[in-house]
Amino acid sequence: ANRINSLRDPSKKMSKSDVNPAATIFFTDSASEIRSKIAKAVTDSNPEITYEPEARPGVSNLLTIWSCASGLPLEELVSQCDGSQSLKTQTAEAVVALVEKYQERF
């Protein structure tokens, strides 16, 4: 099982008690809050998207979040991205879709 890490410090796990509210996605967040948090997530300057948790923790964390939210395998998601902006946009949309499903139920 993959661990979901902080959006602001991908070396730490995502936690509801994080002092930085931008580091964590909550099921009560609005779609615009989720998009904003993911848009500001830490990545790196390499334009290529690869899943390398040790070398590229920020990019790998976003891929993990996207995979968990969409149910799609990491390898498929890597091939769908053409840069960190694309990764952030597609991750945000998958998370928004997942969270909205739960918000409709409750």
Side-chain angles (χ1 to χ4, degrees), residues 22-87:
T24 306
I25 297 169
F26 297 98
F27 277 99
T28 55
D29 286 344
S30 69
S32 63
E33 287 172 315
I34 292 168
R35 288 184 185 103
S36 176
K37 288 178 179 185
I38 292 175
K40 295 174 185 172
V42 172
T43 54
D44 56 48
S45 59
N46 183 344
E48 184 182 354
I49 300 301
T50 58
Y51 183 76
E52 301 174 62
E54 295 299 318
R56 304 188 70 200
V59 169
S60 298
N61 188 44
L62 288 177
L63 285 166
T64 299
I65 293 168
W66 184 11
S67 178
C68 291
S70 67
L72 298 171
L74 290 166
E75 301 77 26
E76 184 178 328
L77 301 179
V78 168
S79 68
Q80 291 182 27
C81 279
D82 60 355
S84 65
Q85 191 58 46
S86 170
L87 172 61

